[in-house]
């Protein structure tokens, strides 16, 4: 089955042999999600927030466009996951989430962790760190000015000069 996501956010995951969750994608409003012909099995679609979807029957062109988007997202997440430094990996993940689901302006990239329902635990799962490490790094990034708190859960990743 395939769906167009009108509202909300969905995460697709699979598991490794030790039962650890591996994120395959994050999907937001306007994205198409399909459970047809998964590249890996098992695959779980997890609603991060309340979602509104529309059932779709994909045409050949729509399916190719969906597969290109999925392949691009997998490549981006894989590239982030291969960054050795946990600090740089988390910053790269936050930047990717901001570019994909946030608001980009001349000041930088604004993202809302609460809108996406991304807790520190969820961020840790996404980038292969512990929740404690993510919490410490987020605090340090704020102190260093690499992240600016816009509200309780909104962050601004300043543009690089």
């Amino acid at each position: 089955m395939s769906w167009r996501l009108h509202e909300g956010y969905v995460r697709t995951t699979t598991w490794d042999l030790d039962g650890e969750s591996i994120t395959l994608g994050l999907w937001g409003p306007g994205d198409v999600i399909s459970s047809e012909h998964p590249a890996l099995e098992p695959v779980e679609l997890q609603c991060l927030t309340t979602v509104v979807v529309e059932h779709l029957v994909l045409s050949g062109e729509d399916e190719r466009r969906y597969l290109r988007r999925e392949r691009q997202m997998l490549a981006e997440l894989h590239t982030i996951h291969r960054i050795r430094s946990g600090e740089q990996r988390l910053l790269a993940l936050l930047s990717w989430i901001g570019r994909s689901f946030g608001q980009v302006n001349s000041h930088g990239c604004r993202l809302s962790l609460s809108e996406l329902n991304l807790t520190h635990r969820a961020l840790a799962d996404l980038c292969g760190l512990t929740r404690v490490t993510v919490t410490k790094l987020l605090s340090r990034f704020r102190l260093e000015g690499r992240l600016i708190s816009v509200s309780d859960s909104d962050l601004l990743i300043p543009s690089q000069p």
Side-chain angles (χ1 to χ4, degrees):
M1 296 191 66
S2 301
W3 306 272
R4 179 169 319 280
L5 190 56
H6 289 288
E7 293 179 23
Y9 298 90
V10 173
R11 177 175 120 165
T12 54
T13 59
T14 191
W15 299 270
D16 66 15
L17 295 174
D18 296 325
E20 294 291 320
S21 174
I22 301 169
T23 298
L24 302 174
L26 285 176
W27 311 97
D31 286 330
V32 172
I33 304 168
S34 180
S35 61
E36 297 176 29
H37 316 296
L40 296 172
E41 289 189 17
V43 170
E44 178 180 71
L45 301 175
Q46 175 190 26
C47 296
L48 298 174
T49 63
T50 301
V51 299
V52 175
V53 296
E54 166 191 8
H55 178 260
L56 293 176
V57 176
L58 294 176
S59 68
E61 180 57 35
D62 288 338
E63 189 170 353
R64 282 188 291 282
R65 191 177 17 248
Y66 162 75
L67 289 171
R68 272 193 306 273
R69 170 79 173 111
E70 182 179 53
R71 192 172 53 237
Q72 176 187 353
M73 186 181 303
L74 279 168
E76 290 168 347
L77 287 171
H78 180 70
T79 300
I80 290 167
H81 216 274
R82 297 293 299 163
I83 298 171
R84 289 196 187 274
S85 161
E87 178 179 307
Q88 293 304 314
R89 191 177 332 137
L90 179 58
L91 278 174
L93 176 68
L94 291 172
S95 294
W96 178 78
I97 292 170
R99 286 189 314 275
S100 300
F101 305 106
Q103 301 168 342
V104 179
N105 60 39
S106 60
H107 301 290
C109 190
R110 180 179 177 156
L111 65 137
S112 175
L113 297 178
S114 65
E115 182 180 315
L116 280 85
N117 196 24
L118 288 175
T119 62
H120 293 188
R121 170 83 251 159
L123 289 171
D125 286 346
L126 282 167
C127 65
L129 298 171
T130 66
R131 184 206 52 81
V132 172
T133 300
V134 166
T135 299
K136 287 179 182 178
L137 286 173
L138 289 174
S139 295
R140 189 169 69 180
F141 294 160
R142 285 182 182 103
L143 286 172
E144 295 172 350
R146 293 199 267 177
L147 286 179
I148 299 169
S149 294
V150 180
S151 68
D152 286 342
S153 65
D154 285 12
L155 300 172
L156 176 72
I157 303 168
S159 297
Q160 298 299 320

